[in-house]
Amino acid sequence: MPKADQDQLQALWFALRDTMLEQLKDQDEPPKASFLNVVRQFLRDNGITLDSIGDPLAMREALEKMTEDLPTYDDDSWNQ
């Protein structure tokens, strides 16, 4: 089996990222914990954190931008 080249790996990474984003945006119900764990691990494995943002205002803006397109759910029973 031939080794994947850098372009193939990059295409796979972007496809995985885009698929996860679409699944987060398009769900009618809150995502399952197992899916959120996959997303969390993907972010962690790729060193994507907000810890590196030293300015609290910049951190808030980054969080708002990340979550502005995510769906909201009226059912809050899972959080009680």
Side-chain angles (χ1 to χ4, degrees):
M1 174 185 275
K3 290 185 178 182
D5 67 13
Q6 188 66 27
D7 290 338
Q8 291 171 322
L9 292 173
Q10 186 176 22
L12 181 60
W13 188 93
F14 282 116
L16 182 58
R17 180 205 62 185
D18 293 344
T19 300
M20 285 190 282
L21 281 173
E22 286 305 311
Q23 287 181 4
L24 283 171
K25 291 178 184 178
D26 292 340
Q27 292 189 6
D28 294 329
E29 297 180 10
K32 296 184 183 280
S34 58
F35 176 70
L36 292 176
N37 192 48
V38 169
V39 173
R40 178 200 58 81
Q41 192 62 46
F42 177 80
L43 294 172
R44 185 176 184 184
D45 289 350
N46 287 282
I48 302 170
T49 67
L50 290 176
D51 295 341
S52 59
I53 302 175
D55 179 12
L57 182 59
M59 183 178 289
R60 179 179 176 170
E61 290 172 358
L63 284 170
E64 288 173 351
K65 182 160 179 57
M66 284 182 355
T67 58
E68 67 188 9
D69 291 334
L70 296 178
T72 57
Y73 304 99
D74 294 329
D75 179 19
D76 197 28
S77 62
W78 63 273
N79 195 24
Q80 297 178 14

